[in-house]
Amino acid sequence: MRPLSLPIIRRTVRPFSLGAVLGAALLAAGCAAPKYTVDDGRPVNPQLLANIGLYGQGEQALRPAIARSSALRDKDCDRQWDLPISVATSQGWSEDDRVAWVRALGVDERLTVVGAAPGSPIQPGERLVNIDGTENKDSQKLLVALGRLRERGKPFPVTTSTGKTVQLVPFQVCRGYTRLAPPNAPTQQDYHWLMSYHPLEIARADLSPDEALWTVLWSQGVSEEGGARMKVYDYGTTALSTLYTLASLASGLKGAAMAAEQAMNMARQAAASAANEIIRAQILEQAKQFATSRIRDEIGRSAQALTQAQVVAGMQQVAANRGLLGGISRVAATVFDRADAWTYTRMQQLGAQPLAGFTLHQKMLERSLLANALVFDPERLLALQTLAQQDGRGEEVVAILKGIRPETLDFDTGDMPLASAQADFSYEDTTPTERNPYALGLIEAMLHTPDTALPTASSGR
């Protein structure tokens, strides 16, 4: 009997191709790579969308002016370090809001450049992923590294998402950062010896290069002219908090934006109290009555872009805005006129148009942008006009103001409590407490915010 023979089964084992191995590796890496928000066309908050666009427009106007101000080299200035770029990130915002950031400004969770000085090695739209060897998915931590290197004042490398590595070179400017309110708190304004927050409405004025420079120098002038007085009410701050450092780099950072929003809510609550509400109502009613009577008297008399009645009424509203400032901003308001003069002189030193403050003022009036500190109230306009006249520019001022001579305007402020008339700091609650941490203002609250109390930035991805 022949032994049973079984068929021999041969299996051919083929080696994996190099392409298959690489493809699998890339697929695995792609799955692990972070996913950043894209615009998927969903409906978003239209007001936030518009505010983000304004924020970007303002940053693109101000960053070149900030770099331009570094040429001042005023030996009497206290100094701060700044950068040729400004950045923003949508990290920490809600999913819908992150889409709004992408749609309005091209900003996702990464540090995205939104403003750049001429000659900057990085331009708006580029994203920073590595700062001097620090690489982190948490944009807030990258901002901390950016702030630390800015304060060191020496060139340092940064790498973009496309792999480009360049050197960022910090430069020194006169003390008093110029920053914009975040898009979720667009009307926030705070004037401090270290930094000024301007409401987003100033971007609606379509700042010319000289008007942007005026804005930057004016913020520095508030610090230089009012810093000593404001510091009287600074309770021993010796080290800047992380939140302040972050806010000085990116107003749109969620932590700083939350603080600004909370400060505005606290201000609204304070205004709801009986005493403050009575004062506010009186001031606004005075301005309303003044505007009504002046316009009634002037109807049909003038074909100018703005009648004298409208000019006076608008500036009366500006006076009301100034009189209602609180906290350290109220102290700063006592030197707004001195900051105007400081800025006028420095504009000349930089070879810029020193009457840019007047052109900005006129644009603000014509567009009813009156809730900010850059448009002049009656006494500031008259004081600066006097300075321009001494400089032989009086007729140019009249031309800018559409033929209306400031000295011919009949201002009647009555009992309006202009802040400039109050040299002493007066505020109902001058000591920051858990109940009102913003008693002295947003920036002062940021200076005293411990790092352990920082909002947690969640990417939400």
Side-chain angles (χ1 to χ4, degrees):
M1 183 176 180
R2 298 180 62 185
L4 181 65
S5 63
L6 298 176
I8 299 175
I9 301 176
R10 300 180 182 274
R11 298 182 60 188
T12 302
V13 180
R14 297 180 179 179
F16 286 112
S17 68
L18 179 60
V21 173
L22 289 175
L26 289 172
L27 181 62
C31 293
K35 296 179 181 178
Y36 299 108
T37 298
V38 296
D39 185 0
D40 56 10
R42 73 178 67 186
V44 297
N45 183 333
Q47 189 58 60
L48 179 66
L49 187 69
N51 290 343
I52 293 172
L54 275 178
Y55 175 76
Q57 183 179 335
E59 286 292 331
Q60 288 157 20
L62 291 173
R63 187 54 44 174
I66 291 169
R68 191 177 170 190
S69 76
S70 68
L72 186 59
R73 294 182 172 83
D74 191 320
K75 63 181 178 59
D76 296 324
C77 278
D78 288 325
R79 314 292 286 179
Q80 286 176 323
W81 289 102
D82 215 327
L83 296 171
I85 61 169
S86 56
V87 295
T89 172
S90 68
Q91 190 176 67
W93 293 73
S94 70
E95 187 175 353
D96 287 348
D97 291 349
R98 294 201 307 274
V99 171
W101 275 98
V102 172
R103 185 176 304 168
L105 202 53
V107 171
D108 62 20
E109 292 82 354
R110 292 166 288 186
L111 288 188
T112 307
V113 177
V114 294
S120 168
I122 307 178
Q123 293 302 308
E126 296 191 80
R127 295 176 170 88
L128 307 184
V129 296
N130 188 298
I131 297 174
D132 194 35
T134 298
E135 188 167 346
N136 200 301
K137 295 179 182 178
D138 188 335
S139 291
Q140 181 168 295
K141 292 182 179 179
L142 280 183
L143 273 173
V144 171
L146 189 64
R148 174 178 53 81
L149 291 165
R150 178 191 65 184
E151 298 311 310
R152 192 177 67 175
K154 298 179 180 179
F156 58 92
V158 297
T159 302
T160 69
S161 58
T162 61
K164 179 176 73 174
T165 299
V166 298
Q167 293 283 317
L168 273 188
V169 183
F171 52 79
Q172 281 195 313
V173 294
C174 287
R175 184 189 61 198
Y177 289 127
T178 306
R179 297 297 182 259
L180 292 172
N184 64 316
T187 61
Q188 177 64 254
Q189 53 182 318
D190 197 21
Y191 308 103
H192 192 278
W193 58 279
L194 287 175
M195 181 168 71
S196 286
Y197 262 118
H198 294 274
L200 279 184
E201 71 172 32
I202 70 168
R204 295 186 186 277
D206 298 321
L207 301 173
S208 70
D210 280 347
E211 290 166 354
L213 181 61
W214 178 278
T215 302
V216 170
L217 291 176
W218 186 88
S219 303
Q220 297 170 2
V222 167
S223 175
E224 288 302 312
E225 293 293 341
R229 182 178 294 181
M230 283 184 272
K231 284 187 216 178
V232 171
Y233 305 100
D234 180 64
Y235 298 96
T237 301
T238 56
L240 304 183
S241 74
T242 299
L243 182 57
Y244 168 81
T245 299
L246 296 176
S248 72
L249 288 162
S251 298
L253 182 71
K254 186 58 177 177
M258 287 172 60
E261 195 169 49
Q262 290 168 5
M264 285 186 61
N265 290 336
M266 295 291 287
R268 291 192 188 102
Q269 292 173 16
S273 66
N276 282 341
E277 186 58 31
I278 290 172
I279 294 173
R280 177 181 290 272
Q282 287 175 344
I283 291 175
L284 296 180
E285 183 60 26
Q286 286 176 17
K288 180 181 177 181
Q289 290 177 358
F290 193 86
T292 302
S293 63
R294 289 298 183 190
I295 291 174
R296 183 175 59 247
D297 293 342
E298 293 285 338
I299 286 177
R301 293 190 190 180
S302 175
Q304 296 167 347
L306 289 176
T307 66
Q308 288 200 14
Q310 290 170 317
V311 170
V312 174
M315 291 169 64
Q316 201 79 356
Q317 293 278 8
V318 174
N321 176 70
R322 184 178 176 188
L324 287 168
L325 291 174
I328 285 181
S329 291
R330 193 168 185 83
V331 184
T334 66
V335 296
F336 280 0
D337 53 346
R338 288 160 57 183
D340 298 335
W342 191 93
T343 305
Y344 182 93
T345 302
R346 271 64 183 184
M347 291 285 286
Q348 291 177 308
Q349 292 176 8
L350 288 175
Q353 172 53 266
L355 302 184
F358 290 102
T359 63
L360 181 56
H361 163 86
Q362 185 67 16
K363 287 164 69 174
M364 295 280 198
L365 277 181
E366 292 174 354
R367 303 180 190 195
S368 297
L369 305 172
L370 307 176
N372 66 83
L374 295 173
V375 61
F376 303 131
D377 59 33
E379 61 178 2
R380 288 173 62 193
L381 180 63
L382 292 172
L384 193 59
Q385 183 221 12
T386 300
L387 185 59
Q389 285 178 330
Q390 294 170 352
D391 203 24
R393 298 175 181 268
E395 291 304 317
E396 293 179 68
V397 171
V398 173
I400 291 170
L401 301 179
K402 305 297 191 262
I404 296 178
R405 293 179 178 273
E407 69 271 21
T408 67
L409 296 175
D410 182 15
F411 295 112
D412 180 13
T413 57
D415 295 325
M416 183 169 294
L418 293 177
S420 57
Q422 302 178 18
D424 296 329
F425 180 76
S426 177
Y427 197 65
E428 289 80 1
D429 185 6
T430 58
T431 305
T433 64
E434 288 186 7
R435 181 181 62 81
N436 186 7
Y438 299 101
L440 295 178
L442 169 63
I443 298 167
E444 189 70 9
M446 287 178 171
L447 288 171
H448 294 274
T449 301
D451 291 352
T452 54
L454 286 177
T456 302
S458 171
S459 66
R461 281 175 256 136

